[in-house]
Amino acid sequence: MPFNLDDFLPYRLSVAAARVSRRFAELYSAEAGLTVPEWRVLAHLSQAGAVSVRDIHAQVHLDKSIVSRAASRLTEVGLIGKSGHETDRRLIVLELTPEGQALMERLSRIAGEFQAELVSELGDDAAAIDRGLRKLTAGAV
C-alpha cells in the first residue's frame, strides 16, 4: 500500500493544530497585539503563577530563547514582572503584573468563546476528539 500523507494521522493532527492555532492567534493578536509565544507565556503565567523561564519552556513547548524574547517584550510593555529566584540565583522568576492579569481576564473570555465555537463546529464528535487528545497528551510535558 503506498504512503498517503493525507491519511497519515500525525500529519493531519499537525495541520489541524496549526490551523486552529492560527485562527485563535488572529483573535488575541487583534485584541492585544500578541504573538503566539507571548500568548503562551501569558496564558501559562495566568495558570501557574510566578515561575521561571525554564518552567515555561517545559510547559509551552517553545525554545528557551523564544520564551526569553517573549518575556522580555512582555516585561517592556508592563504585562509581566521579573524577579530573582529565592534559592537559585541563575533563575529569573516571571509573573503577571496587574495589567497582565487584566489582559488575561479579557483574553480568557475570548478563549472561552473560541473554544465554544470549535466545539460547535465539531458537533457530536467534540467529546470523542477531546478524549483522544487527552490520551495523546497524558503525561506530556
Side-chain angles (χ1 to χ4, degrees), residues 45 49-51 56 75 79-83 93-98 101:
L45 290 173
V51 295
I56 295 172
T75 300
L79 296 173
I80 65 172
K82 293 182 179 182
S83 60
V93 175
L94 307 174
E95 62 186 319
L96 294 177
T97 62
Q101 291 171 353

Side-chain angles (χ1 to χ4, degrees), residues 68-82 94 97:
S68 292
R69 279 194 298 276
S72 292
R73 181 176 167 311
L74 294 169
T75 300
E76 288 172 13
V77 298
L79 296 173
I80 65 172
K82 293 182 179 182
L94 307 174
T97 62

Side-chain angles (χ1 to χ4, degrees), residues 11 13-30 34-36 39-40 114 117-118:
Y11 171 75
L13 285 170
S14 177
V15 169
R19 287 182 179 169
V20 169
S21 181
R22 219 176 5 261
R23 280 177 55 191
F24 184 50
E26 289 173 5
L27 297 175
Y28 60 72
S29 179
L34 298 172
T35 65
V36 171
W39 155 254
R40 288 186 186 176
F114 182 71
E117 181 181 318
L118 282 177

Side-chain angles (χ1 to χ4, degrees), residues 1-89:
M1 176 164 91
F3 178 76
N4 184 347
L5 187 60
D6 291 331
D7 292 333
F8 187 54
L9 184 58
Y11 171 75
R12 292 173 49 216
L13 285 170
S14 177
V15 169
R19 287 182 179 169
V20 169
S21 181
R22 219 176 5 261
R23 280 177 55 191
F24 184 50
E26 289 173 5
L27 297 175
Y28 60 72
S29 179
E31 175 70 20
L34 298 172
T35 65
V36 171
E38 291 165 355
W39 155 254
R40 288 186 186 176
V41 168
L42 285 176
H44 183 71
L45 290 173
S46 176
Q47 183 174 328
V51 295
S52 71
V53 168
R54 181 176 60 194
D55 295 331
I56 295 172
H57 155 73
Q59 290 295 318
V60 301
H61 305 285
L62 294 171
D63 290 337
K64 286 181 189 175
S65 62
I66 292 172
V67 172
S68 292
R69 279 194 298 276
S72 292
R73 181 176 167 311
L74 294 169
T75 300
E76 288 172 13
V77 298
L79 296 173
I80 65 172
K82 293 182 179 182
S83 60
H85 191 273
E86 289 179 4
T87 58
D88 189 341
R89 292 179 184 238

Side-chain angles (χ1 to χ4, degrees), residues 75-132:
T75 300
E76 288 172 13
V77 298
L79 296 173
I80 65 172
K82 293 182 179 182
S83 60
H85 191 273
E86 289 179 4
T87 58
D88 189 341
R89 292 179 184 238
R90 297 169 296 168
L91 295 179
I92 304 262
V93 175
L94 307 174
E95 62 186 319
L96 294 177
T97 62
E99 294 82 5
Q101 291 171 353
L103 175 60
M104 279 310 299
E105 287 176 19
R106 290 195 330 262
L107 294 177
S108 293
R109 286 191 293 277
I110 291 169
E113 291 167 4
F114 182 71
Q115 179 160 314
E117 181 181 318
L118 282 177
V119 168
S120 176
E121 288 176 24
L122 293 169
D124 294 338
D125 297 326
I129 290 169
D130 185 57
R131 283 190 304 276

